[in-house]
């Protein structure tokens, strides 16, 4: 992901007369605005993290034709450091999915449940290499129809996985390292993300460094974020994947034309700025699109995805 800061503003209040400020200082204990400097040190104090991710995906074309999938993914990651960077080994502990309250078997998640992988990063958290997905790709080829494999495979290449991981790491960690901010400061910028089909998504982003909070007995920073993009570049990728799955299921004459109008979202995370460890993250993403479905005509599809991330840090 490429980023370019457009504005960087600070929220200040300057209308209170000086003598009132002096009186306040004499009467109460005032906490001055503190400069916060972000540092990256994920292996200090703790070297193991248990990551619990709960995903709720509510999708449908109206209030009566909706589907709600709930997935819970628990991973264990072990971090080690040398002079060149970090090695992060991730082992799945459990993966489960329900659809409208009933347990379902998600074949892709079932494969991921058996996939350990290791990411190598530099000292600033940028992913350099990834190992372990070879087994998953082989199993995917054996278990799925050719048309589905052809549609999905580009999203599981090492190159794309590293790019996607760096986009996520940059948004959570990399863009902050070495930066200094104050409570109330706001950043806004544009960024782009390259899709496996060669298209690009352009995002408008806003981040607000909102307040200090106590979490798990330590002082942490709450960061709030929002983003929006015109997602038309993703249309061909989504249509190719969706119709490949439909045809693989034997519906050769059934085809969906999907036009994504917008992807938007936001949320908050609680982070220790001295290590860039994230303790909690909550986000909501909404995708709006127009779909032309045989025998139904043009329909408005909405997908609302809620993610709740909790991280528990251990020492082994």
């Amino acid at each position: 992901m490429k980023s370019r800061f457009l504005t960087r503003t600070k929220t200040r209040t300057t209308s209170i007369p000086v003598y009132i400020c002096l009186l306040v200082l004499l009467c109460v204990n005032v906490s001055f605005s503190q400069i916060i400097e972000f540092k990256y040190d994920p292996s200090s104090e703790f070297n193991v993290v248990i990551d619990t991710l709960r995903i709720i995906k509510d999708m449908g074309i109206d209030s009566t034709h909706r589907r709600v999938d709930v997935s819970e993914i628990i991973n264990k990651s072990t971090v080690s450091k040398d002079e060149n960077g970090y090695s992060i080994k991730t082992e799945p502990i459990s993966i489960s999915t329900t659809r409208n309250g009933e347990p379902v078997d998600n074949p892709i998640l079932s494969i991921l449940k058996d996939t350990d992988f290791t990411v190598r990063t530099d000292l600033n958290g940028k992913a350099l290499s990834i190992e372990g997905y070879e087994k998953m790709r082989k199993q995917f080829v054996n278990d799925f129809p050719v048309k589905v494999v052809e549609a999905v495979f580009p999203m599981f290449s090492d190159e794309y996985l590293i790019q996607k991981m760096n986009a996520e790491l940059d948004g959570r960690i990399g863009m902050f390292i070495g930066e200094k901010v104050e409570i109330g400061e706001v950043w806004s910028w544009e960024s782009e993300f390259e899709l496996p089909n060669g298209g690009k998504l352009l995002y408008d982003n806003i981040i607000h460094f909102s307040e200090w909070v106590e979490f798990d007995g330590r002082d942490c920073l709450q960061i709030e974020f929002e983003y929006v993009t015109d997602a038309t570049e993703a249309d061909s990728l989504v249509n190719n994947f969706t119709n490949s799955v439909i045809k693989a299921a034997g519906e050769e004459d059934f085809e969906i034309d999907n036009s994504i109008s917008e992807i938007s979202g936001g949320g908050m995370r609680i982070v220790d700025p001295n290590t860039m460890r994230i303790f909690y993250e909550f986000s909501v993403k909404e995708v709006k699109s127009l779909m032309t479905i045989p025998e139904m005509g043009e329909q408005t599809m909405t997908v609302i995805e809620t993610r709740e991330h909790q991280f528990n840090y251990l020492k082994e």
Side-chain angles (χ1 to χ4, degrees), residues 11-57:
T11 303
R12 299 176 185 272
T13 302
T14 57
S15 58
I16 303 177
V18 173
Y19 68 89
I20 295 181
C21 292
L22 291 174
L23 182 61
V24 170
L25 288 174
L26 290 172
C27 296
V28 300
N29 181 20
V30 176
S31 177
F32 287 94
S33 176
Q34 180 183 356
I35 300 295
I36 303 162
E37 182 175 3
F38 293 98
K39 303 172 185 177
Y40 183 59
D41 191 6
S43 64
S44 66
E45 189 179 358
F46 305 106
N47 68 328
V48 173
V49 57
I50 305 298
D51 169 8
T52 302
L53 172 61
R54 181 177 171 84
I55 305 171
I56 302 175
K57 186 175 288 188

Side-chain angles (χ1 to χ4, degrees), residues 97-161:
T97 304
T98 62
R99 176 164 297 165
N100 296 334
E102 297 295 328
V104 295
D105 180 28
N106 185 318
I108 294 179
L109 289 182
S110 296
I111 292 177
L112 290 175
K113 186 167 62 176
D114 298 324
T115 304
D116 298 353
F117 64 92
T118 300
V119 176
R120 180 76 185 171
T121 77
D122 64 16
L123 291 171
N124 290 319
K126 180 179 179 180
L128 303 174
S129 64
I130 187 167
E131 299 175 357
Y133 278 95
E134 302 84 356
K135 176 184 174 183
M136 185 212 70
R137 285 191 287 262
K138 290 179 180 177
Q139 189 173 345
F140 201 84
V141 170
N142 293 332
D143 293 353
F144 286 85
V146 173
K147 290 180 180 179
V148 176
V149 172
E150 290 175 348
V152 174
F153 226 57
M155 291 183 281
F156 287 101
S157 69
D158 285 349
E159 294 77 14
Y160 181 72
L161 288 170

